[in-house]
Amino acid sequence: MRRPARTLAIGAALTLLATACGGSDDEGGDAAGGGPTKVKLQLQWVTQAQFAGYFAAVDQGFFRDEGLDVEILEGGVDIVPQTVLAQGQADFAIAWVPKALASREQGAQITDVGQIFQRSGTLQVSFKDKGISGPADLRGKKVGNWGFGNEFELFAGMTKAGLDPAKDVTLVQQQFDMQALLKGDIDAAQAMTYNEYAQVLEAKNPATGKLYQPSDFSVLDWNEVGTAMLQDAVWASTERLESDEAYQETTVKFLAGAARGWAFCRDNAEKCRDIVVAKGSKLGASHQLWQMNEINKLVWPSPNKIGIIDEAAWRNTVDIALKTKNAEGKTVLTAQPEGLAYTNEYMQRALDRLATRNVDLTGTSFKAVTVELKEGGG
């Protein structure tokens, strides 16, 4: 889900492999080789419902229907998906837009071909009695953040509210959990709607002996503040898109299968929970269902249809990446992205491919379900 910045950058002298792992399969596919085209997808974190649409596309045969044999590569602490893609060790990768753009600036030839998440899932969470109802209320508070490039929505929100993140708050390096908040070591904690926020709601309130409730907390949602940045997107090899017709077609097929997978998970949240649990997720069943439900909120509705990149949201992400400084005074980007940073061409072709398959690709009628969390997420 999040990767350290020191591993995000790859040197400009990085030797990018001309032929990625699809190899001869991309050249021949099922026509010449008599079998499906082999494809590797690199995730940005471990198996969980954050990536359920891709697991569902494998499980339900949606990729197979497109003539693809997709292998999903699990992420981890030391795995940077966009670097794996740029080095030719995967055909596609899932990564947050600002981090991937930072890698592009360092020489990675990658392109956003499918913006699956339409909204940001990042929050700043505090106990209600801290009185933090907006970014301006963070003044004088101990503010936790993960750093490593995950903090820019928070910093942009504080800057918009007239705060200097380096002077007006006490910044605390936060672990990837909510223990510092629950123990009172910090006043506000960074959290994802689909993971860390659920962790506080799975914890027992010592004052009542029951689980904490949403009413016990205040939440800053960067979508509402106006400093949200685009997150999970499908990235492809720019070089191969520009030179390899077989890879172009594989990209269309992959996006078509993925779109069906995400539509399936929208309409079958519990089934997709079960799919990722069966694939080895370490998260409990109630936590995983919560995550699936919250992920669906980030994907659906997709007014322009799933995967289409909204130009205004893209510009806002780039603008924040260019202007917002972290505690060290550094920005995510130093210049506007050059070249083919994103394109809707292949996603649109994938959507056209699905036009006759009776797949709801906008999800305008989507309604989230109510999930009952259990202690510890079990």
Side-chain angles (χ1 to χ4, degrees), residues 10 13 32 40 48 53 59 89 95 98 116 122 143 160-161 189 219 223 231 241 266 281 326 333 359 372:
I10 58 177
K40 290 185 178 180
Q48 56 184 20
D59 183 83
Q89 297 169 6
I116 303 302
T122 313
V143 180
K160 185 177 181 180
V219 172
N223 297 287
Q231 298 183 345
L241 287 176
R266 176 196 63 216
S281 173
N326 63 12
L333 300 178
V359 181
E372 181 181 353

Side-chain angles (χ1 to χ4, degrees), residues 215-283:
S215 58
D216 294 320
F217 301 95
S218 295
V219 172
L220 300 183
D221 183 334
W222 304 122
N223 297 287
E224 298 175 1
V225 173
T227 60
M229 302 174 83
L230 291 172
Q231 298 183 345
D232 292 35
V234 178
W235 294 82
S237 165
T238 309
E239 183 179 12
R240 296 176 73 194
L241 287 176
E242 293 176 339
S243 63
D244 186 343
E245 290 185 5
Y247 181 71
Q248 295 171 10
E249 184 61 24
T250 294
T251 300
V252 173
K253 292 177 179 180
F254 177 83
L255 293 172
R260 290 181 68 190
W262 283 112
F264 179 84
C265 287
R266 176 196 63 216
D267 301 332
N268 301 273
E270 291 189 0
K271 174 63 176 177
C272 283
R273 181 271 314 271
D274 294 342
I275 289 173
V276 293
V277 168
K279 289 296 182 181
S281 173
K282 305 299 189 296
L283 301 174

Side-chain angles (χ1 to χ4, degrees), residues 100-139:
L101 290 180
S103 291
R104 286 188 85 256
E105 195 169 270
Q106 294 295 320
Q109 297 185 41
I110 56 176
T111 299
D112 182 347
V113 293
Q115 189 57 54
I116 303 302
F117 283 18
Q118 298 292 305
R119 288 158 283 279
S120 167
T122 313
L123 307 172
Q124 203 72 16
V125 180
S126 60
F127 279 104
K128 186 81 73 175
D129 60 9
K130 295 296 182 181
I132 302 173
S133 59
D137 298 323
L138 293 170
R139 184 185 297 273

